[in-house]
Amino acid sequence: MLVAHPDFLDGSVNVLVETGWQTVEVAYRQALWRQCERRADWLVGYRYASLDDRFEVSQASRYTVAQGQILAGSTKDVFDSFAGRNEFHGGELGMIYQDARGRWTGELMLKIALGGTRGQVDVHGSTVTTVPGAGSATFDGGLLAQTTNAGQHVQDGFAVLPELGVKLGYAITPQLQLSVGYGLFAWTRVMRPLDQVDLSMSQLPPEPPTAARHPQFPFSTSTFWAQGLQFGLAYDF
């Protein structure tokens, strides 16, 4: 699809990609082993996680010079939207090891949650053409999101969500502790919008779908990774 040409067509493309994720856990923690300043705890609980993704492409073109039957000033606006949401519910097992040396405390944490993920991706596309003196016409389907893959697509499946964390703490006073840590998360079998984009086109709106009926919705899944640093200040009463 031609978006812009220096001789007869002005055009632009804007792409929006957004990702937001959160996780919450409720767990029971119990001492498994203790020796002087060292200890190991096990935990069992419930884990919830959600992942929201959005991928949108807005394309606008305007003919500056007439091209055949296309009049100068004619415009074409194409919009594609892939919005996804994944939710995880599952049981969690884990272990935390702590080792204290003077004012310093080191902690290693390993958790794994097993459960189910529901993935949902909503696909929508539209094309608006405007001809000077003749008004506008709107068609279902853009470029990446057409009638062959549009709609709401839902998939359920088993997933695993492991978490690895390390933390180093320093006791400023017997009651006040400063800490810094690193966390790594993984989430298997999530359905993300960008993975559902089919770049094989068998028609362009407003053309009717052909026998090939592309683009299609592939129901592809992948593993989501997240990592980050954490800083904390704790006060013991």
Side-chain angles (χ1 to χ4, degrees), residues 1-19:
M1 179 179 286
L2 187 62
V3 178
H5 192 281
D7 296 332
F8 60 87
L9 187 65
D10 289 338
S12 63
V13 176
N14 294 313
V15 179
L16 171 67
V17 179
E18 292 180 338
T19 299

Side-chain angles (χ1 to χ4, degrees), residues 40-60:
D41 299 344
W42 65 272
L43 58 86
V44 59
Y46 160 80
R47 166 83 71 171
Y48 167 81
S50 67
L51 174 64
D52 294 287
D53 285 318
R54 180 176 296 274
F55 168 60
E56 294 180 351
V57 181
S58 301
Q59 172 185 317

Side-chain angles (χ1 to χ4, degrees), residues 99 104-107 166-170 177-182:
D99 191 347
W104 294 93
T105 301
E107 181 178 289
V166 292
K167 186 168 65 174
L168 181 64
Y170 179 77
Q177 185 184 66
L178 181 67
S179 64
V180 60
Y182 167 80

Side-chain angles (χ1 to χ4, degrees), residues 175-189:
Q175 290 80 30
L176 187 64
Q177 185 184 66
L178 181 67
S179 64
V180 60
Y182 167 80
L184 175 65
F185 295 86
W187 184 355
T188 66
R189 300 191 65 182

Side-chain angles (χ1 to χ4, degrees), residues 95-107:
M95 182 169 290
I96 300 175
Y97 174 76
Q98 289 182 335
D99 191 347
R101 301 293 176 89
R103 291 178 175 264
W104 294 93
T105 301
E107 181 178 289

Side-chain angles (χ1 to χ4, degrees), residues 140-161:
D140 290 333
L143 176 64
L144 303 175
Q146 300 188 32
T147 57
T148 53
N149 63 338
Q152 185 178 96
H153 307 274
V154 180
Q155 180 172 262
D156 296 312
F158 174 79
V160 180
L161 202 161

Side-chain angles (χ1 to χ4, degrees), residues 7-222:
D7 296 332
F8 60 87
L9 187 65
D10 289 338
S12 63
V13 176
N14 294 313
V15 179
L16 171 67
V17 179
E18 292 180 338
T19 299
W21 108 286
Q22 61 180 346
T23 180
V24 178
E25 65 174 346
V26 178
Y28 171 78
R29 179 171 173 174
Q30 176 69 43
L32 180 65
W33 168 79
R34 291 182 182 180
Q35 183 180 28
C36 298
E37 300 298 324
R38 303 174 183 174
R39 63 178 292 170
D41 299 344
W42 65 272
L43 58 86
V44 59
Y46 160 80
R47 166 83 71 171
Y48 167 81
S50 67
L51 174 64
D52 294 287
D53 285 318
R54 180 176 296 274
F55 168 60
E56 294 180 351
V57 181
S58 301
Q59 172 185 317
S61 300
R62 178 182 178 274
Y63 286 86
T64 58
V65 178
Q67 295 292 304
Q69 296 181 349
I70 303 178
L71 301 179
S74 298
T75 63
K76 188 174 186 177
D77 297 289
V78 181
F79 178 72
D80 296 308
S81 174
F82 293 74
R85 180 173 179 81
N86 291 269
E87 287 192 350
F88 173 88
H89 298 270
E92 183 177 68
L93 294 172
M95 182 169 290
I96 300 175
Y97 174 76
Q98 289 182 335
D99 191 347
R101 301 293 176 89
R103 291 178 175 264
W104 294 93
T105 301
E107 181 178 289
L108 175 64
M109 176 190 65
L110 178 62
K111 303 175 186 177
I112 184 169
L114 307 175
T117 292
R118 162 159 288 200
Q120 175 181 314
V121 177
D122 296 321
V123 182
H124 168 70
S126 64
T127 299
V128 180
T129 59
T130 302
V131 179
S136 300
T138 302
F139 305 94
D140 290 333
L143 176 64
L144 303 175
Q146 300 188 32
T147 57
T148 53
N149 63 338
Q152 185 178 96
H153 307 274
V154 180
Q155 180 172 262
D156 296 312
F158 174 79
V160 180
L161 202 161
E163 177 187 357
L164 174 66
V166 292
K167 186 168 65 174
L168 181 64
Y170 179 77
I172 302 175
T173 69
Q175 290 80 30
L176 187 64
Q177 185 184 66
L178 181 67
S179 64
V180 60
Y182 167 80
L184 175 65
F185 295 86
W187 184 355
T188 66
R189 300 191 65 182
V190 295
M191 199 162 66
R192 309 196 68 183
L194 281 172
D195 295 332
Q196 316 310 322
V197 176
D198 181 4
L199 298 179
S200 302
M201 310 297 166
S202 58
Q203 70 280 321
L204 296 176
E207 300 173 15
T210 66
R213 300 189 67 82
H214 281 279
Q216 298 180 353
F217 192 88
F219 285 95
S220 299
T221 60
S222 59

